[in-house]
Amino acid sequence: MEQRVVMITGANSGIGKDAALKFAMEGFTVVMGCRDLEYSRQVQEEIIAKSHHDRVTLMEVDLSSFESIRCFCEKFKGAFDRLDILIHNAAYFKHGAEHKLSPDNIEITFATNVFGPFLMTSLLLDVLRKSNDARILHAGSNIIKEFFDPKKEIEFDKLQGEIEDKKSYSVYKMYCQSKMALLMLTFKMAEEFKDDGIKVNALQINGAKMSKRTLKNIKHGWREIAYVQNLFFPEPSYMASKYFAICTSDDFKETTGKLFNDKLEVMQPAPAEYPGFVKNMKQVLGRDVYSSYAENKQVMEKVWNLSEELTESYRILKDKEPVG
Ligand SMILES: NC(=O)c1ccc[n+]([C@@H]2O[C@H](COP(=O)([O-])OP(=O)(O)OC[C@H]3O[C@@H](n4cnc5c(N)ncnc54)[C@H](OP(=O)(O)O)[C@@H]3O)[C@@H](O)[C@H]2O)c1
């Protein structure tokens, strides 16, 4: 039987690494999309050794750079003529870091977590269409619970170029908004790609132990919080097994445009939003509902249109042309 091909971004650590190992153990052809080749090569070797499976390929990609993504997709299509599973796992969450722009002049969190994955999906659409059961998975976060506060919104005026008020800039805020934007793209992509048979879903991650490498990158203050959280969070392999289930189980073969919780239940939009998130602990602590902001069609269109515009993917998505 021909091996199914899975591509996982940020597969050198945490959940992405454990997912790469899981897929390799199960006999999939695994492509690790990583930016730090030197470090990631050791991880690739570790996965090959543990899984006794040598079809684990490492390919360079920096999700914050459109040029790097274009280059990666070209190389990917030179090596593989089909893609069955695409997992957008990589994310920027350097809490406490200063305002930074991507090489394309986009706020770094949104460049890495939203527009980069959007461009990659667009450029890989032609190879995804060749699969008889193509599935895309976005790594979501329970941080979007902040959107239960009706005042919360995506600040579109902070996404490009320098911002005036750098002091009020917060990676935490941008990360929260980026995960909401990614969820909106999940819903919209599911609609757009329905006719192609490509399923698009998201998993809401409540927490997973962070690696030493990741903790090192988080600023003092935030790092201590993460250390404490690590005491309570499950191992990354737990979430990796959820990635695997959503992307391979026959139970979800026809499921698209959904947000899953870690029990693999489909979450629902909240029937009503509450002012401030202390007021309704059921919503904030629960794992059943997400803020109805995620289904705001106007904002969703805005996220989609901006993604198309910034990544210049309009032609690719509309014309269904294979792109080199
Ligand atoms: N852990 C949690 O508690 C938690 C909670 C909610 C959501 N999540 C989500 O789960 C996913 C995995 O997180 P994790 O906890 O496993 O964190 P992690 O171990 O730090 O993994 C993040 C991965 O993303 C990669 N990455 C970051 N920026 C990149 C870029 N520009 N180009 C390419 N790769 C890039 C990192 O690569 P480098 O090694 O090169 O930095 C790393 O491999 C993320 O989407 C995160 O938002 C995690």
Side-chain angles (χ1 to χ4, degrees):
M1 201 176 74
E2 209 181 353
Q3 284 184 359
R4 289 173 65 72
V5 183
V6 56
M7 211 300 275
I8 307 168
T9 64
N12 62 0
S13 90
I15 306 170
K17 174 183 170 184
D18 280 0
L21 177 62
K22 171 77 180 159
F23 278 97
M25 296 268 224
E26 300 289 338
F28 283 70
T29 293
V30 180
V31 180
M32 303 167 61
C34 302
R35 61 179 166 178
D36 180 343
L37 283 192
E38 199 184 323
Y39 175 77
S40 306
R41 202 159 282 125
Q42 299 165 37
V43 177
Q44 176 196 22
E45 281 163 15
E46 188 188 322
I47 292 173
I48 291 172
K50 277 192 185 159
S51 62
H52 306 290
H53 178 68
D54 61 359
R55 295 198 67 176
V56 180
T57 304
L58 175 63
M59 291 174 79
E60 185 174 10
V61 65
D62 177 350
L63 264 302
S64 71
S65 154
F66 294 161
E67 193 189 330
S68 172
I69 293 168
R70 286 182 197 284
C71 184
F72 165 86
C73 291
E74 209 176 296
K75 280 197 195 135
F76 181 93
K77 288 192 264 190
F80 301 93
D81 57 10
R82 196 191 74 237
L83 176 59
D84 299 292
I85 299 165
L86 172 58
I87 303 182
H88 288 296
N89 163 77
Y92 180 90
F93 50 92
K94 263 192 184 180
H95 297 319
E98 285 175 8
H99 181 256
K100 191 178 162 192
L101 292 173
S102 75
D104 306 283
N105 212 28
I106 296 165
E107 190 283 320
I108 193 77
T109 325
F110 262 76
T112 313
N113 303 358
V114 182
F115 303 124
F118 181 91
L119 177 61
M120 181 179 276
T121 296
S122 308
L123 293 172
L124 294 177
L125 268 184
D126 50 347
V127 275
L128 281 161
R129 285 189 188 112
K130 292 197 180 138
S131 170
N132 60 5
D133 180 15
R135 304 192 200 187
I136 299 172
L137 182 65
H138 290 149
S141 169
N142 62 347
I143 199 170
I144 62 161
K145 280 170 186 273
E146 299 225 348
F147 278 85
F148 284 130
D149 177 353
K151 291 196 289 297
K152 190 92 189 165
E153 58 183 10
I154 295 175
E155 296 166 284
F156 285 93
D157 58 336
K158 297 213 171 113
L159 305 189
Q160 291 174 75
E162 293 295 348
I163 52 166
E164 271 179 29
D165 185 8
K166 285 201 175 165
K167 281 206 176 124
S168 73
Y169 172 82
S170 137
V171 173
Y172 179 84
K173 271 205 265 179
M174 297 318 287
Y175 175 66
C176 170
Q177 294 179 32
S178 75
K179 288 295 181 182
M180 175 51 80
L182 188 66
L183 180 59
M184 289 178 153
L185 287 181
T186 308
F187 296 151
K188 175 81 173 148
M189 279 182 181
E191 282 297 313
E192 294 283 326
F193 306 159
K194 217 169 214 163
D195 292 345
D196 295 310
I198 301 171
K199 279 80 61 170
V200 192
N201 293 296
L203 170 67
Q204 178 161 299
I205 298 167
N206 301 314
K209 280 194 201 320
M210 287 185 196
S211 66
K212 281 189 195 140
R213 181 178 157 84
T214 300
L215 288 169
K216 210 174 66 193
N217 272 325
I218 300 175
K219 256 199 155 175
H220 187 57
W222 288 98
R223 195 184 308 155
E224 286 66 28
I225 297 173
Y227 272 123
V228 176
Q229 285 179 329
N230 260 5
L231 299 173
F232 304 97
F233 283 166
E235 293 296 330
S237 57
Y238 171 72
M239 286 301 167
S241 71
K242 308 298 164 182
Y243 282 11
F244 186 79
I246 296 168
C247 294
T248 63
S249 167
D250 278 348
D251 294 346
F252 308 125
K253 207 174 158 83
E254 307 303 332
T255 307
T256 191
K258 302 293 178 200
L259 174 64
F260 287 90
N261 64 20
D262 66 324
K263 292 182 202 147
L264 296 180
E265 295 159 340
V266 170
M267 296 176 70
Q268 302 297 330
E273 305 300 330
Y274 291 85
F277 59 86
V278 203
K279 288 236 167 106
N280 195 295
M281 296 316 275
K282 188 172 172 335
Q283 268 191 1
V284 176
L285 299 176
R287 293 178 181 187
D288 308 330
V289 292
Y290 55 84
S291 164
S292 59
Y293 184 87
E295 306 213 325
N296 181 321
K297 292 276 182 232
Q298 257 179 323
V299 185
M300 196 185 286
E301 285 299 321
K302 215 168 160 180
V303 174
W304 178 267
N305 291 340
L306 185 61
S307 305
E308 275 192 333
E309 192 187 306
L310 291 176
T311 61
E312 296 171 3
S313 300
Y314 187 79
R315 190 187 57 78
I316 312 166
L317 291 161
K318 286 283 174 288
D319 295 355
K320 301 195 169 186
E321 277 178 19
V323 258

